[in-house]
């Protein structure tokens, strides 16, 4: 019985020492999730894409947006093409305690799309707008997101 109690205490101590919780300015404990910060395997192909043909009688140009995984689980690389112009951007998805799922959906205007992600309920959250205005490529943030869990002070 004595060894069983000692084993139980050591197990509890080991489990608690592995959590790297931080404290905010008010002393509340910020709880980290179990989703790994880095991916074991990074996909080479896009995880989300959008493409539409640019109206041009002489050329076969496209407006396209491709989102790629990076080594960091919640960071993604965005590659954009408009006619012969190539651009890149990065997005960071908040950690909702689930593996991030990025989607790219058609925007309201021609040659526009919205990059977003699905939350825990599967609802699409708009994040960035990519569009062509006056023959120029524009990338703008629609909304900002953050997520933190708190435990009360002890």
């Amino acid at each position: 019985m004595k060894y069983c109690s000692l084993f139980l205490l050591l197990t509890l101590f080991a489990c608690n020492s592995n959590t790297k919780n931080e404290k905010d300015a008010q002393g509340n404990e910020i709880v980290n999730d179990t989703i790994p910060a880095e991916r074991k395997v990074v996909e080479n192909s896009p995880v989300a894409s959008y493409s539409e043909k640019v109206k041009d009688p002489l050329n076969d140009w496209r407006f396209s947006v491709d989102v790629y995984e990076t080594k960091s689980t919640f960071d993604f690389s965005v590659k954009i093409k408009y006619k012969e112009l190539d651009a890149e951007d990065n997005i960071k998805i908040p950690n909702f305690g689930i593996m991030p799922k990025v989607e790219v959906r058609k925007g309201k205007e021609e040659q526009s799309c919205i990059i977003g992600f699905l939350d825990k309920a599967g609802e699409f959250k708009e994040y960035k707008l990519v569009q062509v205005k006056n023959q120029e490529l524009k990338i703008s943030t629609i909304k900002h997101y953050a997520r933190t869990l708190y435990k009360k002070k002890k």
Side-chain angles (χ1 to χ4, degrees):
M1 183 71 176
K2 182 178 178 182
Y3 294 109
C4 188
S5 298
L6 181 60
F7 177 74
L8 182 61
L9 284 173
L10 286 173
T11 303
L12 286 172
F13 177 73
C15 289
N16 287 335
S17 66
N18 286 338
T19 58
K20 296 178 183 173
N21 296 339
E22 303 170 12
K23 294 193 184 266
D24 69 2
Q26 291 78 32
N28 295 318
E29 192 174 355
I30 301 172
V31 180
N32 293 331
D33 288 348
T34 58
I35 303 296
E38 291 191 353
R39 291 184 173 86
K40 291 180 181 178
V41 177
V42 178
E43 288 291 325
N44 291 329
S45 58
V47 294
S49 295
Y50 176 79
S51 180
E52 71 178 71
K53 186 165 175 36
V54 174
K55 292 178 184 172
D56 187 295
L58 302 175
N59 300 293
D60 187 26
W61 282 330
R62 301 198 74 71
F63 165 71
S64 65
V65 175
D66 294 310
V67 181
Y68 294 87
E69 291 180 343
T70 65
K71 186 73 176 157
S72 177
T73 303
F74 298 97
D75 294 342
F76 293 83
S77 173
V78 180
K79 298 188 187 237
I80 305 156
K81 186 163 185 79
Y82 171 63
K83 295 185 177 181
E84 294 301 314
L85 176 67
D86 292 317
E88 291 190 24
D89 195 16
N90 296 307
I91 59 171
K92 184 172 189 76
I93 305 300
N95 182 347
F96 285 115
I98 59 172
M99 289 301 285
K101 173 98 170 94
V102 176
E103 288 188 2
V104 183
R105 296 186 177 179
K106 175 150 182 48
K108 294 177 183 175
E109 306 291 324
E110 187 176 24
Q111 296 169 354
S112 72
C113 66
I114 297 170
I115 302 171
F117 57 92
L118 301 180
D119 66 7
K120 276 188 169 184
E123 185 179 327
F124 182 73
K125 300 292 185 184
E126 295 180 341
Y127 186 34
K128 289 202 176 190
L129 172 65
V130 181
Q131 63 183 336
V132 176
K133 283 271 191 187
N134 301 322
Q135 299 298 311
E136 291 182 11
L137 190 58
K138 306 272 185 192
I139 304 165
S140 53
T141 302
I142 300 170
K143 294 182 182 178
H144 294 275
Y145 297 92
R147 181 205 161 262
T148 306
L149 290 178
Y150 290 94
K151 287 184 181 178
K152 291 185 179 183
K153 292 182 193 177
K154 292 183 179 180

